[in-house]
């Protein structure tokens, strides 16, 4: 006799709009089970019954074989009495409260769609907008909830009879896939010249012809416009750099497949997983000697930012171009990327020679995400397309809804409710008016999309940050200021699900300190509710204030003073003027300014053209095989102080003695890692803490991170580092939200 079993199953997570109900329907029918599945306010509800073995296999396969775009957070199973139900159906949603669906990030074109794209017999052959429930646009086309076609930018495209049949067929992988379309009923691709006039012929072939001729082509992607040229064409790459006013910051390169990637960079198994994953981020990888990439693509760096195609349009372009192409943001440096057609035609008219556009509107601007393999794991450096707006699971709940407004540079915001934290896509520098407008509009969009009404608003202590000013303008909420470096460490704790307390090492640029100085090289005792400053890098003046950020040589002068035995950096720059300004200049403990000093000393970078350039280029200049180490003194008083000047003086002495600058840069990195470890060892004796959390923009430097992690672990420390959110200011909003929630729980 067959034993019957019935269970009611509730699945929470990203399970709406990703083909989850058709998957459940197909699985139940394959196993001969009866029941139904429907969406509810915060997930999917399943009633299933049948043979005991079949139900048990159903529960196993439900998580094991879930659709690629789904992300299951929690499955609750409750046994019930069998009812003798016949057949399995997909029922309409039965909302019993406010909708709280989780919107999926945009996903790279799946293998099934790529097979159809390449099949001459398929009706979607070479159709640039092919997608299904397992791939395609999501976040960037959603206007509101519930996630249904009328509330997406596909609302203006009525489905043809064939697409409608697929859309309504539970057995079809396009069942309820809102962007479903085909050449007969979907978006259309067009090629326009610089004046906006449509060009005749096949748009893809026309765009490739222009690229081969060295022209700059603006391409409308999922989250905005990109600018493209062949990656090996030096003249075209240099022309793009000049027109975009992006003097030296590296461009990303899109390759058709792993074969092309392996001709440019070192690709191991880890890199392969990152490149081919659903998110398809830009992956920073070591460049191969002699890689066929123009010098203007990524000057002064041993790395390249590679990505694989993530839309059918990209696949079609690269297949016809038959070589890698630069794919960089469609903007003038300092501005947000263009994502609306008319705005792109206006703002990019002096940059692009042609525009490959389509008529599917983009509702939300989203840059490409950037990740980097470091210290045996991946670190997200810029979290945007492919990751946002999917929530980060929090180990402890937020008692009240929180909005955290983040920092000012590399801006993100975070909404937290319950055990979920929604970190926004990368927004950029809020000092730009258009970026600030995007920041404000995106907050409103997230609040509406996820049904969150903040009751607590967290912000940075810096009164001049525009993110702080925005927080102050929100009425009817409780405001909470969070110190910048505490937010960094709290972000690392939240990223790792650790409550603390820990020894927090925050190495970054500049942050507002409660003592009125500019912090940036901090040793903290921190948990999610509070922090205590235990030590810092020795403070030095910033000659000329903000001018010292733009001109790193000023920091060399600040660190060395008159102690510069004929150094070239002093001959190249107005050294005495900097020293004269020093007494009236603000004091800082910034680790970034320490890096700046060494970069200018070694002739790597006297003046910068983008934020953090000297730090990035000093890492790239350093010999990673160097094992020598400079020693920084550590003094003990009320606070532990690491004498960064010792590292600069040691580097200057080696330079004067004729040592190789690459070796000097390597010794400096090792010396700072050694100083961090010795400082933590001293603080361990005083506090008893054995876990160290590393955060701040300097830990986007793989050489520093790996050297520091290795030394700390060898000294017996447990080490926490960032994985899901950036260690830099892009992760500050998560830290602010975590602090606000923890204080609310206290």
């Amino acid at each position: 006799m067959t034993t019957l079993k019935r269970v009611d199953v509730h699945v929470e997570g990203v399970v709406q709009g990703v083909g989850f109900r058709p998957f459940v329907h197909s699985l139940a029918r394959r196993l001969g089970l009866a029941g139904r599945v429907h969406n509810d306010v915060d997930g999917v509800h399943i009633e299933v019954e049948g043979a005991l073995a079949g139900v048990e296999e159903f529960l196993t396969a439900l998580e094991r074989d879930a659709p690629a775009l789904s992300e299951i957070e929690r499955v609750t199973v409750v046994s019930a009495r069998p009812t003798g139900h016949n057949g399995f159906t997909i029922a309409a949603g039965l909302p019993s409260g406010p909708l709280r669906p989780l919107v999926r990030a945009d996903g790279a074109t799946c293998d099934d769609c790529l097979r159809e794209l390449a099949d001459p017999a398929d009706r979607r052959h070479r159709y640039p907008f092919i997608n299904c429930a397992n791939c395609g646009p999501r976040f960037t086309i959603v206007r509101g909830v519930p996630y249904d076609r009328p509330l997406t930018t596909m609302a203006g495209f009525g489905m043809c009879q064939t697409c409608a049949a697929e859309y309504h067929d539970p057995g079809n992988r396009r069942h309820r896939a809102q962007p479903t379309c085909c050449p007969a009923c979907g978006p259309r691709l067009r090629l326009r010249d610089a004046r906006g006039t449509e060009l005749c012929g096949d748009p893809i072939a026309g765009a490739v012809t222009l690229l081969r001729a060295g022209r700059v082509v603006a391409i409308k992607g999922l989250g905005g416009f990109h600018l493209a040229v062949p990656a090996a064409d030096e003249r075209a790459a240099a022309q793009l750099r000049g027109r975009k006013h992006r003097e030296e910051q590296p461009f990303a390169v899109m390759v058709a497949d792993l074969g092309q990637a392996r001709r440019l960079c070192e690709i191991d198994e880890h890199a392969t997983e990152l490149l081919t994953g659903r998110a398809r981020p830009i992956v920073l990888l070591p460049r191969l000697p002699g890689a066929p990439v123009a010098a203007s693509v990524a000057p002064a760096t041993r790395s390249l930012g590679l990505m694989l195609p993530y839309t059918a349009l990209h696949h079609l372009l690269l297949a016809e171009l038959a070589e890698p192409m630069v794919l960089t943001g469609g903007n003038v440096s300092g501005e947000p990327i263009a994502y609306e057609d008319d705005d792109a035609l206006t703002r990019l008219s002096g940059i692009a020679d042609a525009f490959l556009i389509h008529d599917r509107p983009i509702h939300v601007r989203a840059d490409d995400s950037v990740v980097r393999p470091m210290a045996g794991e991946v670190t997200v450096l810029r979290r945007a397309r492919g990751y946002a707006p999917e929530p980060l699971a929090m180990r402890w709940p937020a008692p009240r809804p929180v909005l955290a407004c983040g920092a000012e540079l590399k801006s993100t915001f975070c909404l937290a409710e319950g055990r979920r934290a929604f970190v926004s896509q990368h927004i950029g520098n809020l000092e730009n008016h258009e970026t600030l407008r995007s920041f404000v509009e995106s907050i409103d969009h997230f609040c509406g999309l996820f049904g969150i009404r903040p009751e607590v608003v967290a912000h940075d202590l810096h009164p001049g940050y525009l993110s702080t000013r925005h927080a102050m303008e929100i009425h009817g909420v409780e405001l909470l200021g969070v110190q910048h470096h505490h937010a960094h460490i709290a972000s690392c704790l939240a990223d790792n699900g650790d409550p603390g307390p820990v020894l927090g090492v925050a190495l970054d640029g500049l942050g507002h300190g409660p003592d009125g100085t500019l912090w940036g090289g901090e040793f903290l005792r921190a948990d999610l509710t509070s922090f205590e400053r235990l030590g810092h890098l020795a403070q030095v003046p910033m000659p000329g204030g903000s001018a010292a950020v733009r001109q790193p040589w000023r920091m060399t002068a600040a660190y060395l003073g008159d102690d510069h035995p004929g150094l070239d950096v002093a001959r190249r720059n107005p050294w005495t003027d900097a020293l004269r300004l020093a007494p009236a200049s603000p004091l800082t403990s910034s680790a970034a300014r320490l890096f700046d000093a060494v970069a200018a000393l070694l002739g790597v970078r006297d003046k910068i053209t983008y934020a953090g350039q000297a730090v990035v280029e000093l890492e790239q200049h350093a010999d990673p095989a160097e094992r020598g180490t400079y020693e920084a003194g550590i003094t003990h008083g009320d606070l532990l102080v690491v004498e960064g000047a010792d590292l600069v003086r040691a580097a200057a002495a080696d330079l004067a003695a004729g040592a190789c600058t690459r070796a000097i840069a390597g010794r400096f990195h090792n010396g700072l890692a050694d100083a961090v470890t010795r400082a933590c060892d001293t603080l361990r004796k005083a506090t008893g803490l054995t876990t160290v959390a590393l955060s701040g923009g300097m830990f986007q430097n793989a050489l520093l991170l790996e050297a520091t992690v290795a030394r700390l672990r060898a000294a017996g420390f447990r080490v926490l580092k960032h994985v899901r959110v950036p260690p830099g200011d892009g992760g500050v909003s998560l830290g602010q939200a975590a602090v606000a929630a923890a204080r609310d729980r206290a």
Side-chain angles (χ1 to χ4, degrees):
M1 181 177 177
T2 303
T3 301
L4 296 179
K5 182 177 179 65
R6 171 191 161 104
V7 291
D8 290 347
V9 184
H10 190 241
V11 186
E12 297 175 70
V14 184
V15 289
Q16 295 186 20
V18 294
F20 201 86
R21 287 179 301 160
F23 156 70
V24 170
H25 178 271
S26 176
L27 176 62
R29 295 189 65 172
R30 176 170 61 81
L31 295 172
L33 303 175
R36 66 175 183 168
V37 57
H38 63 82
N39 288 338
D40 62 17
V41 293
D42 54 5
V44 168
H45 187 79
I46 307 164
E47 301 163 20
V48 63
E49 64 180 72
L52 176 61
V55 171
E56 290 178 347
E57 172 59 21
F58 175 88
L59 294 174
T60 299
L62 186 68
E63 296 188 66
R64 183 190 65 206
D65 303 331
L69 286 184
S70 66
E71 186 169 319
I72 296 174
E73 290 182 0
R74 186 179 299 107
V75 176
T76 305
V77 180
V78 178
S79 295
R81 186 184 301 275
T83 62
H85 193 89
N86 292 318
F88 196 94
T89 59
I90 296 178
L94 303 173
S96 58
L99 288 169
R100 292 184 296 173
L102 299 183
V103 176
R104 195 56 158 149
D106 303 271
T109 309
C110 69
D111 290 342
D112 288 332
C113 284
L114 289 178
R115 279 191 287 271
E116 292 175 348
L117 185 73
D119 183 359
D122 193 277
R123 71 191 189 92
R124 292 187 176 89
H125 177 233
R126 291 183 58 80
Y127 182 55
F129 307 99
I130 191 170
N131 69 86
C132 69
N134 298 320
C135 68
R138 293 293 187 277
F139 173 56
T140 53
I141 66 169
V142 174
R143 297 184 189 275
V145 292
Y147 175 58
D148 209 349
R149 196 174 180 106
L151 289 176
T152 72
T153 62
M154 288 296 295
F157 300 93
M159 283 184 283
C160 67
Q161 187 174 357
T162 308
C163 283
E166 294 172 337
Y167 179 85
H168 292 292
D169 179 6
N172 192 288
R173 78 174 198 280
R174 292 189 170 89
H175 177 72
R176 301 291 298 175
Q178 307 307 335
T180 293
C181 58
C182 74
C185 64
R188 176 189 163 203
L189 200 62
R190 295 175 174 86
L191 182 64
R192 299 183 184 273
D193 65 18
R195 293 169 296 183
T197 303
E198 186 170 349
L199 302 176
C200 297
D202 175 32
I204 291 173
V208 169
T209 297
L210 289 168
L211 288 170
R212 286 176 177 157
R215 301 289 189 266
V216 177
V217 178
I219 300 169
K220 187 177 181 181
L222 283 180
F225 280 79
H226 289 96
L227 297 164
V229 295
D233 188 333
E234 171 59 27
R235 187 190 66 81
Q239 180 176 253
L240 172 58
R241 193 170 284 287
R243 292 181 183 180
K244 191 174 159 68
H245 303 301
R246 183 167 171 163
E247 296 180 39
E248 289 155 311
Q249 191 170 9
F251 291 143
V253 174
M254 180 174 275
V255 291
D257 51 35
L258 288 172
Q260 280 190 357
R262 291 189 177 103
R263 289 192 284 274
L264 301 182
C265 290
E266 297 175 15
I267 308 291
D268 59 15
E269 185 176 341
H270 195 190
T272 297
E273 291 176 0
L274 293 171
L275 287 166
T276 60
R278 176 183 57 82
R280 295 290 167 93
I282 297 169
V283 186
L284 299 186
L285 296 167
R287 187 193 322 206
L288 291 174
V293 174
S296 291
V297 170
T301 174
R302 296 191 299 264
S303 301
L304 281 177
L306 294 189
M307 59 178 158
L308 263 60
Y310 53 85
T311 69
L313 175 57
H314 293 137
H315 281 280
L316 294 169
L317 282 168
L318 284 167
E320 191 147 339
L321 184 62
E323 62 175 301
M325 65 179 177
V326 165
L327 204 66
T328 188
N331 63 337
V332 175
S333 288
E335 297 180 356
I337 60 170
Y339 72 105
E340 296 173 326
D341 296 356
D342 290 343
D343 181 50
L345 288 166
T346 299
R347 283 206 286 138
L348 305 181
S349 61
I351 303 176
D353 298 303
F355 294 80
L356 189 60
I357 64 175
H358 55 77
D359 52 355
R360 182 181 68 206
I362 297 169
H363 187 63
V364 178
R365 176 192 286 120
D367 287 270
D368 293 313
S369 295
V370 181
V371 305
R372 188 178 190 185
M374 295 196 296
E377 293 183 283
V378 61
T379 298
V380 175
L381 304 185
R382 185 169 75 192
R383 189 176 185 273
R385 178 197 51 77
Y387 295 99
E390 293 169 16
L392 302 174
M394 303 290 282
R395 188 171 174 185
W396 302 275
R400 291 182 291 169
V402 175
L403 165 64
C405 291
E408 183 155 275
L409 301 179
K410 299 179 176 62
S411 171
T412 65
F413 62 85
C414 178
L415 284 174
E417 184 176 51
R419 293 181 181 270
R420 291 172 176 158
F422 299 88
V423 178
S424 74
Q425 74 277 22
H426 165 84
I427 292 174
N429 182 356
L430 297 186
E431 291 178 347
N432 177 278
H433 174 73
E434 178 62 24
T435 309
L436 179 61
R437 184 167 70 88
S438 179
F439 171 79
V440 175
E441 290 175 350
S442 294
I443 290 175
D444 290 342
H445 183 55
F446 267 60
C447 287
L449 205 58
F450 303 114
I452 297 175
R453 293 292 175 264
E455 297 178 24
V456 180
V457 175
H459 58 84
D460 196 275
L461 292 181
H462 197 303
Y465 279 3
L466 294 180
S467 57
T468 301
R469 293 182 185 178
H470 176 72
M472 298 295 183
E473 293 171 357
I474 301 174
H475 300 291
V477 298
E478 180 180 326
L479 292 173
L480 176 69
V482 181
Q483 199 279 327
H484 189 83
H485 299 96
H486 182 208
H488 270 303
I489 301 304
S491 175
C492 186
L493 292 175
D495 201 352
N496 288 274
D498 193 302
V502 296
L503 292 174
V505 181
L507 303 183
D508 71 346
L510 299 169
H512 186 77
D515 62 354
T517 65
L518 298 172
W519 291 13
E522 309 307 315
F523 296 87
L524 310 177
R525 183 195 186 281
D527 56 26
L528 291 176
T529 58
S530 63
F531 78 97
E532 177 187 0
R533 193 188 199 193
L534 302 179
H536 56 84
L537 293 179
Q539 293 180 326
V540 293
M542 286 175 55
S546 60
V549 178
R550 300 187 298 272
Q551 299 174 330
W553 65 266
R554 292 175 180 268
M555 293 309 304
T556 320
Y559 270 101
L560 293 180
D562 292 322
D563 186 16
H564 58 93
L567 295 173
D568 285 345
V569 64
R571 286 195 291 264
R572 292 193 306 266
N573 298 288
W575 194 273
T576 53
D577 290 347
L579 295 178
R580 178 175 52 80
L581 288 169
S585 299
L587 291 174
T588 184
S589 57
S590 169
R593 305 290 79 81
L594 175 61
F595 270 81
D596 285 351
V598 177
L601 171 70
L602 301 185
V604 171
R605 179 61 51 186
D606 281 1
K607 299 178 181 179
I608 66 168
T609 61
Y610 64 88
Q613 183 177 10
V615 177
V616 170
E617 292 184 357
L618 184 62
E619 178 198 354
Q620 296 299 315
H621 187 76
D623 179 359
E626 176 61 43
R627 294 294 175 263
T629 301
Y630 297 137
E631 183 172 340
I634 298 177
T635 59
H636 309 280
D638 292 337
L639 296 174
L640 175 148
V641 176
V642 175
E643 299 295 340
D646 290 348
L647 302 177
V648 183
R649 283 193 287 265
D654 269 2
L655 184 65
C660 169
T661 58
R662 294 187 180 276
I664 295 172
R667 293 166 193 164
F668 165 74
H669 279 80
N670 293 338
L672 183 55
D674 176 70
V676 166
T677 303
R678 289 188 291 115
C680 287
D681 187 53
T682 298
L683 295 173
R684 173 170 54 187
K685 295 181 176 69
T687 65
L689 296 174
T690 59
T691 298
V692 177
L694 305 177
S695 192
M698 297 304 99
F699 288 116
Q700 296 183 167
N701 177 323
L703 196 57
L704 177 65
L705 178 70
E706 290 167 0
T708 304
V709 169
R711 284 167 170 76
L712 286 169
R713 286 176 175 166
F717 285 100
R718 173 174 170 257
V719 182
L720 304 179
K721 55 188 186 299
H722 285 266
V723 177
R724 300 182 296 170
V725 296
D729 280 4
V732 162
S733 64
L734 176 64
Q736 292 172 346
V739 170
R743 290 182 183 174
D744 223 12
R745 290 191 301 270

